[in-house]
Amino acid sequence: MNFLTISTTAKKYILFGFVLCFGQNFSQNVTLKQDPKIENLLTEKRKLNAVMANTTRYKIQIFIGNSEESKKTLIAFKKENRLTEATLIFSTPNYKVLVGNYKTRIEAERNLTILRKKFPKALLVKPNMN
C-alpha cells in the first residue's frame, strides 16, 4: 500500500498528526532580530506626524502686535481658557497669539464667533498645506 492509495480521510488524519507532533516545535523557536535603526525611524515618523497634525489644523489668531501686549493677551486667554491650546509665535515684525487646534473649518468657525465677542479682531488661520 503506498500513499496514493490511502483514502482522503486517512490522508487528513496523517497530515493532522504530523502537524500536531511537529508544529509546536516550529512555533516555539521563532526569534525576531530587528535592526536598531528601525526604532529610530519610527521615532522620527512619530515626530513628523505630530508636526503634520499641528500644521494641517485650523487656528484662530486673537492678537497681533508687539511682544509685551501679545504676552499679556496670551496669559489672559490661558487664565480663562485652560483647556484650549494657545501659543505665541513671532512673525516679523509682529507677535501673534494663536489659539485652538481645530481639525475642520466648521469647528474653527464656531469657536471664532465665540472668541470675537472678547477679541473683535480675531481671524481664522488656514492650515499650512505644503
Side-chain angles (χ1 to χ4, degrees):
M1 176 186 293
N2 67 25
F3 188 73
L4 295 175
T5 59
I6 299 174
S7 71
T8 308
T9 307
K11 289 179 187 177
K12 289 180 184 178
Y13 284 119
I14 292 171
L15 183 60
F16 178 73
F18 179 76
V19 171
L20 186 63
C21 291
F22 297 105
Q24 292 178 351
N25 292 336
F26 294 127
S27 65
Q28 291 177 354
N29 297 329
V30 174
T31 56
L32 178 65
K33 292 184 180 180
Q34 180 176 324
D35 190 344
K37 292 179 183 178
I38 290 176
E39 190 59 41
N40 293 339
L41 285 172
L42 288 172
T43 303
E44 291 300 316
K45 178 64 175 156
R46 288 182 194 111
K47 289 178 186 176
L48 182 61
N49 286 347
V51 169
M52 290 299 292
N54 285 334
T55 59
T56 59
R57 296 191 175 231
Y58 290 90
K59 298 193 180 289
I60 298 172
Q61 177 182 304
I62 61 170
F63 181 82
I64 185 168
N66 65 33
S67 175
E68 290 303 315
E69 289 296 317
S70 59
K71 287 177 186 176
K72 288 178 186 176
T73 304
L74 179 66
I75 291 169
F77 180 83
K78 284 187 173 182
K79 280 183 182 177
E80 293 180 16
N81 305 286
R82 295 177 191 260
L83 299 178
T84 304
E85 181 181 324
T87 57
L88 178 68
I89 62 167
F90 179 70
S91 180
T92 307
N94 296 311
Y95 288 85
K96 297 177 181 180
V97 178
L98 301 178
V99 300
N101 194 12
Y102 308 105
K103 199 174 205 178
T104 65
R105 184 179 181 100
I106 294 171
E107 182 184 8
E109 286 177 352
R110 279 187 204 129
N111 287 292
L112 177 62
T113 56
I114 295 167
L115 287 172
R116 276 201 177 140
K117 293 174 185 172
K118 179 141 184 162
F119 304 97
K121 294 183 180 181
L123 58 99
L124 186 64
V125 179
K126 290 184 181 180
N128 184 7
M129 299 289 222
N130 290 335

